[in-house]
Amino acid sequence: MSLKLGIPSKGRLMEKTFDWFGARGVTLRRAGSDREYAGAVAGIDGVSLVLLSAGEIPRELAAGRIHLGVTGTDLVHEKLPRWEQQVQQIAPLGFGQADLILAVPQFWVDVETLDDLDAVAAAFRATHGHRLRIATKYHRLVREFLRDAGVADYALVDSQGATEGTVANETAEMVADITSTGETLRANHLKIMGDGLILRSQATLWRSRVAPYSDAEKAALDALLQRVG
């Protein structure tokens, strides 16, 4: 048995994760072609590499099928209810930063705060006969944030891609999405609400609290954690 480390399987997130571990004396590499989802770990004994999509890693950690995993804060908080009981944050990696925010059309000149949104949402329902629609793939985080802010008259519309375009396409009135620069929002004539920051996210190393650990896996975990600081 070996300690299983889950890493994003493609793109800049994988490359930057490989670089982060490499700078700490742990070499990760993909085994074979880009189509293979296995890898190798050098520089430390008893650790095996599992390549997964970033979105799968929270689920695998919570199920105890991997011991460690790298994925975004946003995905852990969204996908795992009571995440603190299932995973432990080990280290933020310093890349993949993005903010989960609420954005409204730029021409909504009277909507800058959540109090404004609450009033507009109530008026929208009275005028149109249905709730104001917010396009997002972060249902849990958005619902909890708006509940805490006292905003009630809205409906979440699932959007798994091109969320910023839903307002122009008239499938939603506003969005809740991840952004790093805000350029895509501005290009789609959207503005971030002044108090609409839901979560700051970045790539993070997590440990499963529920995975079984043999003595050898515990030793490998201790060795790896000492290496990565």
Side-chain angles (χ1 to χ4, degrees), residues 48-77:
S48 62
L49 183 62
V50 182
L51 296 172
L52 300 161
S53 74
E56 290 176 309
I57 289 173
R59 180 192 67 205
E60 296 300 294
L61 286 165
R65 288 188 287 265
I66 59 175
H67 301 93
L68 296 166
V70 172
T71 191
T73 317
D74 58 315
L75 294 174
V76 166
H77 286 217

mmCIF file of all heavy atoms in Angstrom, residues 48-77:
data_model
loop_
_atom_site.group_PDB
_atom_site.id
_atom_site.type_symbol
_atom_site.label_atom_id
_atom_site.label_comp_id
_atom_site.label_asym_id
_atom_site.label_seq_id
_atom_site.Cartn_x
_atom_site.Cartn_y
_atom_site.Cartn_z
ATOM 1 N N SER A 48 2.216 7.380 -4.113
ATOM 2 C CA SER A 48 1.821 7.149 -5.502
ATOM 3 C C SER A 48 0.980 8.314 -5.991
ATOM 4 O O SER A 48 0.270 8.971 -5.216
ATOM 5 C CB SER A 48 1.049 5.838 -5.646
ATOM 6 O OG SER A 48 -0.141 5.863 -4.890
ATOM 7 N N LEU A 49 1.078 8.580 -7.293
ATOM 8 C CA LEU A 49 0.408 9.725 -7.896
ATOM 9 C C LEU A 49 -0.842 9.273 -8.640
ATOM 10 O O LEU A 49 -0.812 8.316 -9.405
ATOM 11 C CB LEU A 49 1.369 10.414 -8.871
ATOM 12 C CG LEU A 49 0.882 11.692 -9.549
ATOM 13 C CD1 LEU A 49 0.597 12.765 -8.522
ATOM 14 C CD2 LEU A 49 1.934 12.177 -10.542
ATOM 15 N N VAL A 50 -1.957 9.966 -8.385
ATOM 16 C CA VAL A 50 -3.217 9.704 -9.068
ATOM 17 C C VAL A 50 -3.630 10.999 -9.765
ATOM 18 O O VAL A 50 -3.743 12.044 -9.124
ATOM 19 C CB VAL A 50 -4.313 9.269 -8.077
ATOM 20 C CG1 VAL A 50 -5.605 8.947 -8.819
ATOM 21 C CG2 VAL A 50 -3.864 8.074 -7.251
ATOM 22 N N LEU A 51 -3.843 10.946 -11.072
ATOM 23 C CA LEU A 51 -4.247 12.128 -11.834
ATOM 24 C C LEU A 51 -5.762 12.133 -12.017
ATOM 25 O O LEU A 51 -6.330 11.177 -12.536
ATOM 26 C CB LEU A 51 -3.539 12.147 -13.188
ATOM 27 C CG LEU A 51 -2.013 12.279 -13.112
ATOM 28 C CD1 LEU A 51 -1.393 12.098 -14.485
ATOM 29 C CD2 LEU A 51 -1.619 13.629 -12.529
ATOM 30 N N LEU A 52 -6.396 13.215 -11.584
ATOM 31 C CA LEU A 52 -7.844 13.341 -11.602
ATOM 32 C C LEU A 52 -8.208 14.744 -12.069
ATOM 33 O O LEU A 52 -7.364 15.639 -12.062
ATOM 34 C CB LEU A 52 -8.416 13.133 -10.193
ATOM 35 C CG LEU A 52 -8.156 11.797 -9.501
ATOM 36 C CD1 LEU A 52 -8.368 11.942 -8.004
ATOM 37 C CD2 LEU A 52 -9.088 10.735 -10.062
ATOM 38 N N SER A 53 -9.459 14.957 -12.455
ATOM 39 C CA SER A 53 -9.894 16.326 -12.702
ATOM 40 C C SER A 53 -9.967 17.043 -11.355
ATOM 41 O O SER A 53 -10.216 16.424 -10.312
ATOM 42 C CB SER A 53 -11.256 16.349 -13.387
ATOM 43 O OG SER A 53 -12.280 16.011 -12.469
ATOM 44 N N ALA A 54 -9.736 18.375 -11.390
ATOM 45 C CA ALA A 54 -9.773 19.148 -10.144
ATOM 46 C C ALA A 54 -11.114 18.988 -9.440
ATOM 47 O O ALA A 54 -11.189 18.977 -8.210
ATOM 48 C CB ALA A 54 -9.488 20.618 -10.436
ATOM 49 N N GLY A 55 -12.194 18.847 -10.218
ATOM 50 C CA GLY A 55 -13.515 18.709 -9.639
ATOM 51 C C GLY A 55 -13.757 17.370 -8.961
ATOM 52 O O GLY A 55 -14.630 17.253 -8.096
ATOM 53 N N GLU A 56 -12.997 16.337 -9.350
ATOM 54 C CA GLU A 56 -13.151 15.018 -8.736
ATOM 55 C C GLU A 56 -12.411 14.899 -7.412
ATOM 56 O O GLU A 56 -12.757 14.056 -6.575
ATOM 57 C CB GLU A 56 -12.620 13.941 -9.685
ATOM 58 C CG GLU A 56 -13.432 13.694 -10.931
ATOM 59 C CD GLU A 56 -12.765 12.680 -11.845
ATOM 60 O OE1 GLU A 56 -11.567 12.842 -12.152
ATOM 61 O OE2 GLU A 56 -13.444 11.727 -12.238
ATOM 62 N N ILE A 57 -11.380 15.696 -7.224
ATOM 63 C CA ILE A 57 -10.499 15.519 -6.068
ATOM 64 C C ILE A 57 -11.215 15.710 -4.734
ATOM 65 O O ILE A 57 -11.006 14.904 -3.808
ATOM 66 C CB ILE A 57 -9.246 16.413 -6.226
ATOM 67 C CG1 ILE A 57 -8.358 15.819 -7.338
ATOM 68 C CG2 ILE A 57 -8.474 16.524 -4.918
ATOM 69 C CD1 ILE A 57 -7.175 16.665 -7.735
ATOM 70 N N PRO A 58 -12.102 16.717 -4.555
ATOM 71 C CA PRO A 58 -12.815 16.801 -3.273
ATOM 72 C C PRO A 58 -13.607 15.542 -2.960
ATOM 73 O O PRO A 58 -13.593 15.053 -1.815
ATOM 74 C CB PRO A 58 -13.739 18.007 -3.471
ATOM 75 C CG PRO A 58 -13.043 18.849 -4.476
ATOM 76 C CD PRO A 58 -12.399 17.882 -5.420
ATOM 77 N N ARG A 59 -14.286 14.986 -3.956
ATOM 78 C CA ARG A 59 -15.082 13.772 -3.736
ATOM 79 C C ARG A 59 -14.203 12.597 -3.336
ATOM 80 O O ARG A 59 -14.550 11.816 -2.428
ATOM 81 C CB ARG A 59 -15.845 13.435 -5.022
ATOM 82 C CG ARG A 59 -16.719 12.187 -4.940
ATOM 83 C CD ARG A 59 -17.182 11.766 -6.313
ATOM 84 N NE ARG A 59 -16.070 11.310 -7.142
ATOM 85 C CZ ARG A 59 -16.057 11.339 -8.471
ATOM 86 N NH1 ARG A 59 -17.087 11.826 -9.142
ATOM 87 N NH2 ARG A 59 -15.018 10.892 -9.136
ATOM 88 N N GLU A 60 -13.048 12.446 -3.986
ATOM 89 C CA GLU A 60 -12.160 11.329 -3.682
ATOM 90 C C GLU A 60 -11.548 11.469 -2.290
ATOM 91 O O GLU A 60 -11.354 10.482 -1.586
ATOM 92 C CB GLU A 60 -11.069 11.217 -4.756
ATOM 93 C CG GLU A 60 -11.608 10.885 -6.145
ATOM 94 C CD GLU A 60 -12.353 9.563 -6.167
ATOM 95 O OE1 GLU A 60 -11.718 8.514 -5.959
ATOM 96 O OE2 GLU A 60 -13.586 9.582 -6.382
ATOM 97 N N LEU A 61 -11.236 12.696 -1.894
ATOM 98 C CA LEU A 61 -10.742 12.929 -0.530
ATOM 99 C C LEU A 61 -11.818 12.586 0.497
ATOM 100 O O LEU A 61 -11.549 11.927 1.506
ATOM 101 C CB LEU A 61 -10.328 14.396 -0.370
ATOM 102 C CG LEU A 61 -9.036 14.831 -1.044
ATOM 103 C CD1 LEU A 61 -8.963 16.352 -1.115
ATOM 104 C CD2 LEU A 61 -7.817 14.276 -0.305
ATOM 105 N N ALA A 62 -13.049 13.033 0.245
ATOM 106 C CA ALA A 62 -14.147 12.808 1.192
ATOM 107 C C ALA A 62 -14.523 11.337 1.283
ATOM 108 O O ALA A 62 -15.008 10.874 2.317
ATOM 109 C CB ALA A 62 -15.364 13.635 0.792
ATOM 110 N N ALA A 63 -14.306 10.597 0.183
ATOM 111 C CA ALA A 63 -14.596 9.158 0.191
ATOM 112 C C ALA A 63 -13.440 8.344 0.766
ATOM 113 O O ALA A 63 -13.585 7.136 0.983
ATOM 114 C CB ALA A 63 -14.883 8.695 -1.236
ATOM 115 N N GLY A 64 -12.300 8.993 0.999
ATOM 116 C CA GLY A 64 -11.144 8.295 1.546
ATOM 117 C C GLY A 64 -10.399 7.441 0.536
ATOM 118 O O GLY A 64 -9.598 6.594 0.912
ATOM 119 N N ARG A 65 -10.651 7.695 -0.756
ATOM 120 C CA ARG A 65 -9.956 6.906 -1.783
ATOM 121 C C ARG A 65 -8.581 7.464 -2.115
ATOM 122 O O ARG A 65 -7.755 6.776 -2.717
ATOM 123 C CB ARG A 65 -10.825 6.804 -3.040
ATOM 124 C CG ARG A 65 -12.035 5.888 -2.846
ATOM 125 C CD ARG A 65 -12.780 5.645 -4.142
ATOM 126 N NE ARG A 65 -13.545 6.814 -4.571
ATOM 127 C CZ ARG A 65 -14.828 7.005 -4.309
ATOM 128 N NH1 ARG A 65 -15.504 6.112 -3.587
ATOM 129 N NH2 ARG A 65 -15.470 8.079 -4.736
ATOM 130 N N ILE A 66 -8.343 8.728 -1.757
ATOM 131 C CA ILE A 66 -6.993 9.288 -1.812
ATOM 132 C C ILE A 66 -6.710 9.938 -0.464
ATOM 133 O O ILE A 66 -7.629 10.346 0.253
ATOM 134 C CB ILE A 66 -6.808 10.306 -2.959
ATOM 135 C CG1 ILE A 66 -7.790 11.481 -2.833
ATOM 136 C CG2 ILE A 66 -6.958 9.626 -4.325
ATOM 137 C CD1 ILE A 66 -7.584 12.578 -3.872
ATOM 138 N N HIS A 67 -5.433 10.014 -0.119
ATOM 139 C CA HIS A 67 -5.039 10.565 1.179
ATOM 140 C C HIS A 67 -4.782 12.068 1.115
ATOM 141 O O HIS A 67 -5.063 12.792 2.070
ATOM 142 C CB HIS A 67 -3.774 9.859 1.682
ATOM 143 C CG HIS A 67 -3.922 8.386 1.849
ATOM 144 N ND1 HIS A 67 -3.587 7.480 0.857
ATOM 145 C CD2 HIS A 67 -4.393 7.641 2.890
ATOM 146 C CE1 HIS A 67 -3.839 6.242 1.282
ATOM 147 N NE2 HIS A 67 -4.329 6.319 2.505
ATOM 148 N N LEU A 68 -4.217 12.521 0.000
ATOM 149 C CA LEU A 68 -3.896 13.926 -0.205
ATOM 150 C C LEU A 68 -4.385 14.337 -1.579
ATOM 151 O O LEU A 68 -4.469 13.505 -2.488
ATOM 152 C CB LEU A 68 -2.386 14.166 -0.110
ATOM 153 C CG LEU A 68 -1.697 13.895 1.225
ATOM 154 C CD1 LEU A 68 -0.189 13.861 1.033
ATOM 155 C CD2 LEU A 68 -2.066 14.962 2.246
ATOM 156 N N GLY A 69 -4.687 15.632 -1.756
ATOM 157 C CA GLY A 69 -5.114 16.093 -3.069
ATOM 158 C C GLY A 69 -4.912 17.586 -3.216
ATOM 159 O O GLY A 69 -4.976 18.332 -2.229
ATOM 160 N N VAL A 70 -4.670 18.005 -4.440
ATOM 161 C CA VAL A 70 -4.540 19.425 -4.758
ATOM 162 C C VAL A 70 -5.747 19.852 -5.580
ATOM 163 O O VAL A 70 -6.001 19.288 -6.649
ATOM 164 C CB VAL A 70 -3.242 19.715 -5.543
ATOM 165 C CG1 VAL A 70 -3.229 21.166 -6.044
ATOM 166 C CG2 VAL A 70 -2.020 19.446 -4.669
ATOM 167 N N THR A 71 -6.490 20.824 -5.067
ATOM 168 C CA THR A 71 -7.625 21.386 -5.801
ATOM 169 C C THR A 71 -7.954 22.742 -5.208
ATOM 170 O O THR A 71 -7.377 23.141 -4.182
ATOM 171 C CB THR A 71 -8.840 20.445 -5.763
ATOM 172 O OG1 THR A 71 -9.824 20.897 -6.699
ATOM 173 C CG2 THR A 71 -9.451 20.367 -4.372
ATOM 174 N N GLY A 72 -8.875 23.458 -5.841
ATOM 175 C CA GLY A 72 -9.193 24.805 -5.401
ATOM 176 C C GLY A 72 -10.040 24.857 -4.147
ATOM 177 O O GLY A 72 -10.860 23.967 -3.895
ATOM 178 N N THR A 73 -9.848 25.918 -3.390
ATOM 179 C CA THR A 73 -10.676 26.153 -2.209
ATOM 180 C C THR A 73 -12.155 26.166 -2.584
ATOM 181 O O THR A 73 -13.000 25.630 -1.855
ATOM 182 C CB THR A 73 -10.319 27.518 -1.592
ATOM 183 O OG1 THR A 73 -8.899 27.685 -1.571
ATOM 184 C CG2 THR A 73 -10.858 27.643 -0.184
ATOM 185 N N ASP A 74 -12.465 26.780 -3.718
ATOM 186 C CA ASP A 74 -13.865 26.904 -4.133
ATOM 187 C C ASP A 74 -14.514 25.544 -4.325
ATOM 188 O O ASP A 74 -15.665 25.331 -3.939
ATOM 189 C CB ASP A 74 -13.970 27.726 -5.418
ATOM 190 C CG ASP A 74 -13.175 27.140 -6.580
ATOM 191 O OD1 ASP A 74 -12.019 26.734 -6.381
ATOM 192 O OD2 ASP A 74 -13.708 27.088 -7.711
ATOM 193 N N LEU A 75 -13.783 24.587 -4.909
ATOM 194 C CA LEU A 75 -14.357 23.273 -5.189
ATOM 195 C C LEU A 75 -14.585 22.479 -3.907
ATOM 196 O O LEU A 75 -15.597 21.787 -3.764
ATOM 197 C CB LEU A 75 -13.457 22.501 -6.151
ATOM 198 C CG LEU A 75 -13.358 23.113 -7.553
ATOM 199 C CD1 LEU A 75 -12.337 22.365 -8.397
ATOM 200 C CD2 LEU A 75 -14.714 23.119 -8.244
ATOM 201 N N VAL A 76 -13.655 22.578 -2.957
ATOM 202 C CA VAL A 76 -13.831 21.882 -1.677
ATOM 203 C C VAL A 76 -15.033 22.453 -0.931
ATOM 204 O O VAL A 76 -15.900 21.714 -0.440
ATOM 205 C CB VAL A 76 -12.547 21.979 -0.826
ATOM 206 C CG1 VAL A 76 -12.826 21.558 0.622
ATOM 207 C CG2 VAL A 76 -11.460 21.090 -1.424
ATOM 208 N N HIS A 77 -15.121 23.773 -0.844
ATOM 209 C CA HIS A 77 -16.211 24.395 -0.085
ATOM 210 C C HIS A 77 -17.563 24.156 -0.756
ATOM 211 O O HIS A 77 -18.582 24.038 -0.070
ATOM 212 C CB HIS A 77 -15.959 25.893 0.049
ATOM 213 C CG HIS A 77 -14.877 26.239 1.031
ATOM 214 N ND1 HIS A 77 -14.923 27.344 1.850
ATOM 215 C CD2 HIS A 77 -13.703 25.630 1.322
ATOM 216 C CE1 HIS A 77 -13.845 27.389 2.599
ATOM 217 N NE2 HIS A 77 -13.082 26.357 2.293
#
